[in-house]
Amino acid sequence: MARMPSAERRQQLIEAAIRAMTRDGVSRTTTRSIAAEAGVSLSVFHYCFDSKQALIESVITAITDHGVTVAKEAIRPKATLRETIRAGFQAYWDHVTANPGEHMLTYELTQYALRRPGFEHLARRQHALYCDTYGELIEQLRHSMGFELRVPVPVLARYLAAMTDGLTLNFLVLGNDTAWADILDMITDHVTGLVCDQVQPAAMD
Amino acid sequence: MARMPSAERRQQLIEAAIRAMTRDGVSRTTTRSIAAEAGVSLSVFHYCFDSKQALIESVITAITDHGVTVAKEAIRPKATLRETIRAGFQAYWDHVTANPGEHMLTYELTQYALRRPGFEHLARRQHALYCDTYGELIEQLRHSMGFELRVPVPVLARYLAAMTDGLTLNFLVLGNDTAWADILDMITDHVTGLVCDQVQPAAMD
DNA sequence: GTCTATAGGAAGATAGAC
DNA sequence: GTCTATCTTCCTATAGAC
């Protein structure tokens, strides 16, 4: 194999690990299968990472950061607040249905982290970042569209992070057998009802 | 060790497996550790179960049925619909905070089942049962307290199953650092607002 | 930096005595 | 039914040549 700087090899191994874990599940993914997926030998793996745990730590960080990006891109201002919220939920949901393996992997890694002593902080960082991201998106909308909320922003943010997580897991288990659109409509109504308008709701920033 | 009928030994091993998995996590629980927890030798394990997977199948079934029981016991009619709903959420939440390991194990087993070919049906059964249980509880309340809903029962049931699941996972990761009571209040308001009264809301069956 | 080869251990499952 | 002992396989990690 061609020689390559360590940093690049590390990135290559992280991406290979994500592919292998998405395909086979975290518990069935071995250092050998990751090295094979990356097209390198086993000792190259251990040249770049001290241990399997060190690699997984990098994988969790990468997956978490990517998840935050996905959530942020789901919000695109529309004509009304309701449409903005509904479209945001839909964009997130489209990502889930289009990339079930990626979301499945996220859950697996959360539990992996919770179960390894010294790794709990990675799981906490992941969920805290999601809560913070929702909080930022709410504040952003609140300022651009001009409204107040009947509940504190952190409470709503925590609820949204947890609730979407639960819907996602439920979809991963039960699949597309249900009128998910009805559920997204219902939570849109709920969230929309939590705002008390201060200016014209149709006005954009 | 004392001789024992197979059925009893099987039950003993299932309970030992649940204790070991709750303590160590599913992936770190071995046939040896289960046998040790049950106080029997490794070959007794394989005398009672063809394989580790066969035992885990029994464990998943047991855990799922227990979870349904917990959910059903959370609902106890109160003076008003709102109080009934709020107390139901609280009872479920008290169970989560008092038995985090049990709920954690439930999530782990769901993923274990999703990842083993031929075991997906156990994960689906688990989540389908939860949805059905919520559906039954809703119908029961609807008849005893006399009201109609603005959304179809299966939609609300699916939402409640998924949402509580998400809140639980969020708690398991982030712990008790938040005003969870505010979130339970908020979802109580939401659900209460979904009913359109047909008779006196304070009347009990 | 990358390779081949192997150390060292732990896992699931089985054999055969009692 | 239960035991001890063992088979077989697969894993992480390392050693040492190139």
Side-chain angles (χ1 to χ4, degrees):
Chain A
M1 277 296 140
R3 300 221 167 186
M4 198 176 280
S6 267
E8 200 169 332
R9 269 272 183 267
R10 284 174 64 94
Q11 191 57 35
Q12 185 182 352
L13 280 164
I14 290 171
E15 288 165 12
I18 292 175
R19 284 196 302 276
M21 288 174 166
T22 301
R23 185 183 62 234
D24 304 328
V26 171
S27 71
R28 303 177 94 86
T29 300
T30 66
T31 52
R32 281 177 163 80
S33 70
I34 295 169
E37 176 73 30
V40 302
S41 74
L42 184 57
S43 37
V44 170
F45 178 100
H46 276 103
Y47 179 82
C48 295
F49 291 95
D50 281 350
S51 66
K52 188 185 181 183
Q53 292 230 349
L55 167 85
I56 293 185
E57 181 161 350
S58 298
V59 167
I60 293 177
T61 304
I63 286 270
T64 300
D65 294 347
H66 180 248
V68 169
T69 304
V70 167
K72 283 193 174 164
E73 286 178 352
I75 287 286
R76 296 273 177 246
K78 296 284 187 299
T80 65
L81 178 61
R82 170 183 300 268
E83 284 175 69
T84 304
I85 294 171
R86 185 60 178 79
F89 282 137
Q90 190 64 49
Y92 173 77
W93 199 250
D94 289 345
H95 188 274
V96 170
T97 56
N99 308 275
E102 179 184 321
H103 289 267
M104 177 86 151
L105 177 56
T106 303
Y107 287 104
E108 286 189 273
L109 290 173
T110 299
Q111 279 179 350
Y112 180 94
L114 282 179
R115 281 298 193 187
R116 313 286 139 159
F119 271 60
E120 308 93 335
H121 73 281
L122 291 173
R124 279 199 294 273
R125 181 185 104 98
Q126 183 188 31
H127 280 243
L129 266 178
Y130 292 159
C131 290
D132 291 349
T133 303
Y134 273 103
E136 287 170 26
L137 292 175
I138 295 167
E139 286 290 8
Q140 185 181 315
L141 269 183
R142 195 170 69 80
H143 284 107
S144 71
M145 303 192 81
F147 56 78
E148 292 302 321
L149 285 164
R150 298 182 206 282
V151 296
V153 171
V155 169
L156 179 57
R158 174 70 61 106
Y159 164 75
L160 288 174
M163 183 267 294
T164 51
D165 222 39
L167 291 185
T168 303
L169 181 56
N170 200 286
F171 165 78
L172 292 177
V173 174
L174 289 172
N176 238 334
D177 68 329
T178 302
W180 286 106
D182 286 354
I183 294 181
L184 298 186
D185 287 343
M186 184 178 71
I187 60 180
T188 300
D189 285 345
H190 175 210
V191 175
T192 307
L194 292 174
V195 314
C196 21
D197 301 322
Q198 301 280 318
V199 302
Q200 296 302 322
M204 298 300 301
D205 64 314
Chain B
M1 278 295 140
R3 301 225 165 181
M4 199 176 279
S6 268
E8 202 170 329
R9 268 273 183 267
R10 282 174 64 94
Q11 192 56 37
Q12 187 181 351
L13 280 163
I14 290 171
E15 287 165 13
I18 291 175
R19 285 196 302 276
M21 288 174 166
T22 301
R23 186 184 62 235
D24 304 327
V26 172
S27 71
R28 303 177 94 86
T29 300
T30 66
T31 53
R32 283 176 165 81
S33 71
I34 295 168
E37 176 73 30
V40 301
S41 74
L42 184 56
S43 37
V44 169
F45 179 100
H46 277 103
Y47 180 82
C48 295
F49 291 96
D50 281 352
S51 66
K52 188 186 182 183
Q53 292 231 347
L55 166 85
I56 293 184
E57 181 161 350
S58 298
V59 167
I60 293 177
T61 303
I63 286 269
T64 300
D65 295 347
H66 181 248
V68 169
T69 304
V70 168
K72 283 191 174 165
E73 286 178 354
I75 286 287
R76 297 274 177 243
K78 296 285 186 300
T80 66
L81 178 62
R82 169 183 300 266
E83 283 176 68
T84 304
I85 294 171
R86 185 60 178 80
F89 283 136
Q90 191 63 50
Y92 172 78
W93 199 249
D94 289 344
H95 188 273
V96 170
T97 55
N99 309 276
E102 179 183 323
H103 289 268
M104 178 87 151
L105 176 56
T106 303
Y107 286 104
E108 286 189 272
L109 290 174
T110 299
Q111 279 179 351
Y112 179 94
L114 282 179
R115 280 298 193 186
R116 311 288 140 159
F119 271 58
E120 308 94 334
H121 73 281
L122 291 172
R124 278 199 294 273
R125 182 184 104 97
Q126 183 187 31
H127 279 244
L129 266 178
Y130 291 158
C131 290
D132 291 351
T133 302
Y134 273 103
E136 288 170 25
L137 292 174
I138 295 166
E139 287 288 8
Q140 187 181 312
L141 270 184
R142 195 169 69 81
H143 285 107
S144 71
M145 303 192 80
F147 57 77
E148 292 302 321
L149 285 165
R150 298 183 206 282
V151 295
V153 171
V155 169
L156 179 57
R158 174 71 60 106
Y159 163 75
L160 288 174
M163 183 267 294
T164 52
D165 221 40
L167 290 185
T168 303
L169 182 55
N170 201 285
F171 165 77
L172 291 176
V173 175
L174 288 172
N176 239 334
D177 68 329
T178 301
W180 287 106
D182 287 353
I183 294 181
L184 298 185
D185 287 342
M186 185 179 68
I187 60 181
T188 299
D189 286 345
H190 175 209
V191 175
T192 307
L194 292 174
V195 313
C196 18
D197 301 322
Q198 301 279 317
V199 301
Q200 295 303 321
M204 297 298 301
D205 64 316

